[in-house]
Amino acid sequence: MNTSPWSPYRPADAEPWNLERAWTLRRRAGFAATWAELERDLADGPEKAVDRVLDGSCRLAGVPSDFARTAELLGDAAAGSSDARRLQAWWLFRCLFTHDPLQERLTLAWHDHFATSQVKVDDVGAMHRQNETFRKLGRGPFGDLLRALLHDPALLAWLDAPSNRKQKPNENLARELMELFTLGVGRYSESDVKEAARALTGLGVTQGRFTMRADRHDDGPKTVLGKTGNLDPDALADLLLAQPATADRLAWRLCNTFLGENVADAATRTALAEQLRGDGLHVGRAVDTILRSRIFFGPRNLHARIGDPVGFVVGSVRALECFAPRPPSTLLLAEWTERLGQALFFPPNVGGWPGGRGWLSGRGVVARANFAAALAEGRLHADGKPPDFASLAERNVKTREPDAALKLVSEVLSGRVLDPSSADAIQRSAGDAGSANDRLNRAVALLLARPESQLV
């Protein structure tokens, strides 16, 4: 029997394929599932459910037939403006309506990894192009993505590459390239940083486009990580990609994206890093391993992660099917993710968002409760009309009976059955005022604000 945590998960009496596991797959690898999608995944088993996530066919509803064209038009219009809020709304449109939510989840992970902020870049078009690079290359060999980022105007502007010149090096890009993007802390020396900075001289940005200025490049010999040569940016990238520490760093990033806090220990991450080293640092195949694994579906990984604001906002809208026939305003969704602590295209620093418990500051908890109320009261939609959650229940479980409706909503939002005492407490707090749908909507807001609803 293969006991590796990365061996494929097989349902067993002790670890059955159930709602919790199907729900966890769709929350971690995307932005939640509808009830119909969960029922289908439960019926078909884990292998087919994971296949659909990986090949971008997991969504049954809420994917417009003209999604690709609409997304392109919205992206181009946002990029041509100077308004970063339109770019945020475009990305959330993609998260909400794409047929391939895993692609957007990985794009978000790379946005966090190469954390670049519009605050300093001040070029919406460049931020848009960087985001498309994450989307295009984020599932292939990591080296392709890293080399592309060394030609990315937004990243170069963010890390002062244009001021890094022969005989006047700026170490900012070199330091973050080694510490954050590839090797990790403690895997290089200060001398390595200085020499790597010389290798990166000449990179620049002219009128928002990448340039390589030969007259500013230091073409003398450099020694980085014990290797001496006339290193240029591409040769430096090759050298860093060949280091074992880069696979370790990449394994950490992928575990941090898909697993709960502290679920993968050092030995488990090392095993994934070994696969990455032997497989050309191929991200997509490593994600395949993770999503099919025993550790992913193991009990320690269930409800073991605090959901990020984008997942909380988009996941709530998707799970409750608030995307049709009246789609919410993605401009408003972007405002809410910012209030919850995740302003897209504005990470707090080069290290990205802190994540984990950092999402649940006092301000963040209040914002999550306020978002829940706004969703239930219809304030995410232009017409201000509250969603009809009783009809959601009737459509999915053939009844509008309050207890059954609350059970459905709790299962689709949290992936588990609400205990009777909690259900009673929510029903009492929702009160008797208004129609049955009014009461159910208040119950949904209360349910979303509960501590267990913050875990994915």
Side-chain angles (χ1 to χ4, degrees), residues 11 33 45-46 70 144 150 162 198 207 218 235 254 269 289 302 323 332 350 355 379 383 391 398 404-405 452 454:
T70 302
D144 292 351
L150 287 178
R198 291 178 57 214
Q207 296 182 337
D218 183 340
L254 295 177
R269 293 195 303 273
T289 294
L302 304 179
F323 46 75
L332 289 176
V350 292
R379 287 187 278 122
D383 61 9
S391 291
K398 314 305 178 191
E452 57 266 35
Q454 316 315 313

Side-chain angles (χ1 to χ4, degrees), residues 358-380:
W359 294 128
L360 297 184
S361 64
R363 182 180 177 184
V365 169
V366 170
R368 287 180 184 232
N370 289 338
F371 168 77
L375 183 152
E377 293 168 6
R379 287 187 278 122
L380 302 182

Side-chain angles (χ1 to χ4, degrees), residues 171-300:
E171 299 169 4
N172 204 7
L173 174 60
R175 186 176 303 282
E176 307 311 351
L177 174 64
M178 302 173 89
E179 179 173 323
L180 298 175
F181 306 158
T182 56
L183 307 178
V185 176
R187 304 295 187 96
Y188 56 89
S189 68
E190 282 301 302
S191 174
D192 291 325
V193 173
K194 294 180 185 300
E195 292 289 277
R198 291 178 57 214
L200 295 171
T201 50
L203 296 175
V205 181
T206 303
Q207 296 182 337
R209 300 291 174 180
F210 168 77
T211 57
M212 182 64 192
R213 293 281 302 271
D215 61 318
R216 295 182 179 179
H217 178 65
D218 183 340
D219 57 2
K222 304 104 182 170
T223 299
V224 178
L225 301 169
K227 181 176 176 60
T228 301
N230 184 14
L231 298 172
D232 61 11
D234 289 338
L236 177 63
D238 291 342
L239 176 61
L240 295 176
L241 289 164
Q243 300 301 308
T246 296
D248 295 340
R249 179 73 177 164
L250 187 53
W252 170 83
R253 171 56 68 186
L254 295 177
C255 289
N256 191 54
T257 298
F258 294 106
L259 300 181
E261 195 172 352
N262 299 321
V263 168
D265 58 19
T268 301
R269 293 195 303 273
T270 296
L272 184 64
E274 288 174 357
Q275 174 184 323
L276 285 159
R277 274 192 288 275
D279 193 26
L281 302 181
H282 198 284
V283 173
R285 291 195 281 271
V287 172
D288 185 305
T289 294
I290 293 170
L291 297 184
R292 296 186 191 281
S293 68
R294 292 173 56 231
I295 192 171
F296 183 82
F297 291 110
R300 286 190 62 226

Side-chain angles (χ1 to χ4, degrees), residues 283-427:
V283 173
R285 291 195 281 271
V287 172
D288 185 305
T289 294
I290 293 170
L291 297 184
R292 296 186 191 281
S293 68
R294 292 173 56 231
I295 192 171
F296 183 82
F297 291 110
R300 286 190 62 226
N301 193 42
L302 304 179
H303 302 288
R305 182 181 179 86
I306 296 171
D308 58 45
V310 171
F312 183 76
V313 167
V314 177
S316 300
V317 172
R318 286 293 311 184
L320 295 169
E321 301 180 32
C322 294
F323 46 75
R326 300 174 302 117
S329 162
T330 54
L331 279 168
L332 289 176
L333 297 186
E335 287 182 14
W336 278 108
T337 66
E338 182 169 359
R339 290 185 202 182
L340 269 62
Q342 194 172 25
L344 294 174
F345 301 105
F346 293 90
N349 54 54
V350 292
W353 286 279
R357 290 169 176 76
W359 294 128
L360 297 184
S361 64
R363 182 180 177 184
V365 169
V366 170
R368 287 180 184 232
N370 289 338
F371 168 77
L375 183 152
E377 293 168 6
R379 287 187 278 122
L380 302 182
H381 295 78
D383 61 9
K385 184 179 176 182
D388 186 352
F389 292 136
S391 291
L392 172 75
E394 186 172 40
R395 188 164 61 251
N396 285 291
V397 292
K398 314 305 178 191
T399 180
R400 302 173 75 92
E401 194 274 325
D403 288 344
L406 183 59
K407 178 176 182 293
L408 166 76
V409 170
S410 67
E411 290 179 359
V412 81
L413 284 176
S414 70
R416 49 190 166 186
V417 177
L418 194 63
D419 67 83
S421 63
S422 295
D424 289 344
I426 289 173
Q427 297 278 28

